[in-house]
Structure formats: C-alpha cells, structure tokens
Amino acid sequence: MGQCSAGDKLLVARAALHHWEEPCLSGPPEAETGSGTVFFTGCPLKCCYCQNYSISQEGLGKEIDTDRLTAIFLELQEKGARNLNLVTATQWLPWVLPALRTARQQGLQIPVVYNTGGYERAGTVRALDGAVDIWLADYKYADAGLAEELSHASDYRDICENAIRQMLLQTGAPQYDSEGYLKRGVIIRHLVLPGHAEDSLNVVFRMKALQEETGVPFLTSLMCQFTPFYHAADHGLGRRVTSYEYRKVVDAAVAAGLTDGYMQQKSSAREEYTPPFDFEGV
C-alpha cells in the first residue's frame, strides 16, 4: 500500500447524486437531478484539514469489483445525473478505466468529471485523454513550505501546474449544453485558508499566468467553505476564514480578469455540507 492508501482491492465510499458542486455541474440545490458523484477511498495528499479524512486517510470504503463500478456509473445516469463525477480516482485507474469503457459501450452518455486535488502527473492527465470531459482540479498552494506542512507535498505547485497546463491544452475552452450545464472544460478550485490569504493571492496570480501561457480560458471557483476538520487546529487552522480574507482574494481574481466562474457565500462553511460516507448506492 502506497502514499495514496490504495491496495489491490477497489474501495468506494459513496455513490449518489450530489447537489453541492458548482452550479454548472450539479444545477440548483433543489433540483431532483445533480452530479453523479463517486467518492473513492484514499488520496495521494495528506491534508491535515481534509473534510473527507475518513475516506481519504483512514481507509473508509466498501470493496467492489469492476462490474459493480460499471453498474454504478450507469445507475447514476438512470437516476438523472447530469455528469459522472469521479472524486480522487487516480489510485484506482486500473479499475476505473475499464469500467468507463464498458459503461460507454452499455449506454453511458453523460460527461465524465475528474475531481482531483491537483496533485496529478501530467502523464496521468494525458493517459485520460478521451476518457475525461471535464477537469475539476484544485490549485491549493503556491508556497512549497505551506504545501509540505499542510499536505506533505513540497512539490505540489510544480506538479499541479504541469497537470493543469495539460488539462487546459487537452480539453480546451468551456463548452455548455442547451441548459447551461458544462459538457467540456476545466474548473480550477482554490480554497482560501485562514491566515494564508497571501498564498491565495499568489495562487491567483499563477492561475492567471497559466491562462495567459496556454491561451485557454477556464472557470475559477474560489471557496470560503473551510471548516477546521481533522488535525487543522494543530497547524494553526483552528478557525474559519474571515470575510476580509476571502474578499481580498476575490478582489485579486477580479483584478486579474479571472471573472468567469464562482465565489461562495460564507454560509458554505458548514459541516452539514460534508456528505455522509454511508456507502449509499455502492
């Protein structure tokens, strides 16, 4: 078992319609449909504040095989999912890719979203060309020391930027269907952390540089939903983000021209927005 906590048995923690992604993925919260989200066990990052720590770091999940995973993909589509949203799936690609191929042969037609913490090798992104329609990627840190302290990944910035660069070149500008749901493109998320607004500003500047370098537009999602889960308080993250901190980052994004995307209400920083990992649908 490696850094990502994956062994030789596929583990999935939850599969259900999810209503709390960006609106272009899940639609309005009251909609009967949503994003067909599959949460996989494990993660290559070790974030001390992870709200999903029970599955990302503590191994919570249910063992299934490729056939069951294929069936889950199709069941989510039948329930009205607007897309198939794979959360932290890289460590399970030997199961995920065959399941996607078979599901498509059996009628899977909705876009595939690859929901990642951004710590992906560019080669992995290239290997997923044709399998993934939408990249939903974090850009967590610009500073190597902060990335090491909070996620045990001092090389995070370079790894993340190389991956996002490949995502942009591979996927191109955002494309929408007739109802306004995203069907192709890249969304880059950034979670503002309490006490680290300056690093967030650097992330914004580097995101802008990536857009200028590639010439490919993307959607920006700036989040203020940080809640001090897990070991956050042990690393100086024992509070929520202030309105001043978040507004400072939003203003910087607007000044940089990163205005196509989303910001959050402060009410998003609530524990009830973390889904229950009860193996629903698995």
Side-chain angles (χ1 to χ4, degrees), residues 19 23 25 131 145 168 231:
H19 302 283
L25 296 179
L168 292 169
H231 300 304

Side-chain angles (χ1 to χ4, degrees), residues 223-239:
M223 303 184 295
C224 62
Q225 68 186 48
F226 177 83
T227 304
F229 283 103
Y230 201 34
H231 300 304
D234 298 335
H235 295 267
L237 303 175
R239 63 172 175 85

Side-chain angles (χ1 to χ4, degrees), residues 48-170:
C48 64
Y49 53 87
C50 181
Q51 66 179 12
N52 299 339
Y53 64 89
S54 61
I55 66 168
S56 67
Q57 299 183 46
E58 295 184 344
L60 181 66
K62 180 179 179 181
E63 181 183 328
I64 64 172
D65 59 19
T66 304
D67 289 342
R68 180 63 191 127
L69 186 60
T70 300
I72 287 171
F73 293 166
L74 293 168
E75 288 165 7
L76 288 169
Q77 178 174 262
E78 291 168 5
K79 290 179 180 179
R82 294 291 186 161
N83 45 67
L84 179 62
N85 187 344
L86 309 179
V87 183
T88 320
T90 298
Q91 62 272 20
W92 305 112
L93 286 181
W95 291 265
V96 172
L97 285 175
L100 281 175
R101 285 194 293 269
T102 303
R104 284 202 167 106
Q105 292 168 359
Q106 296 179 5
L108 183 72
Q109 297 179 328
I110 55 178
V112 174
V113 180
Y114 207 78
N115 192 330
T116 168
Y119 199 54
E120 305 282 355
R121 297 189 183 279
T124 301
V125 179
R126 286 191 289 270
L128 287 164
D129 191 10
V132 170
D133 303 290
I134 299 166
W135 292 93
L136 179 56
D138 290 343
Y139 191 146
K140 295 180 181 291
Y141 318 103
D143 181 77
L146 188 63
E148 175 63 26
E149 178 185 356
L150 302 184
S151 296
H152 293 182
S154 60
D155 57 353
Y156 178 87
R157 186 187 71 189
D158 290 341
I159 295 290
C160 179
E161 285 196 4
N162 286 335
I164 290 176
R165 183 180 293 108
Q166 182 61 35
M167 293 171 192
L168 292 169
L169 296 173
Q170 194 165 293

